[in-house]
Amino acid sequence: MFRSPWIAVAIWIACAIGFAVVYLYLGRRRFYRTNAAGVEEFESYRGAVLSHLFEVFMRLISGILFIASWVALFVFMKTPYKYW
């Protein structure tokens, strides 16, 4: 028998943890890049541009994980109890 609710729970947990890890990693990068005045410092212009592109890409992945976790949670909540 297909146990879709438990698969949805596993996907929800994995996506929620993935979202939290990416979100906290990006915050940590930003925190360690700032100086005492609160201004972000980069070694070069290329480093600033590449860092920004990397963070935009990671924010996109974070958003996809966030939406996927809510979809998986919705699938879990809407599954009839007889399939548990």
Side-chain angles (χ1 to χ4, degrees), residues 24-34 51 54-55:
L24 292 174
Y25 175 71
L26 291 177
R28 182 179 186 274
R29 280 178 53 98
R30 180 169 288 162
F31 176 78
Y32 283 112
R33 233 187 358 245
T34 57
S51 178
F54 174 73
E55 288 179 1

Side-chain angles (χ1 to χ4, degrees), residues 17-71:
I17 290 173
F19 167 74
V21 166
V22 170
Y23 186 78
L24 292 174
Y25 175 71
L26 291 177
R28 182 179 186 274
R29 280 178 53 98
R30 180 169 288 162
F31 176 78
Y32 283 112
R33 233 187 358 245
T34 57
N35 62 10
V39 178
E40 292 186 13
E41 293 181 341
F42 297 94
E43 292 183 16
S44 66
Y45 178 73
R46 185 182 72 192
V49 170
L50 291 177
S51 178
H52 178 70
L53 289 176
F54 174 73
E55 288 179 1
V56 166
F57 177 71
M58 291 303 286
R59 275 190 225 122
L60 179 67
I61 289 181
S62 176
I64 290 170
L65 288 172
F66 183 74
I67 292 170
S69 68
W70 279 101
V71 168

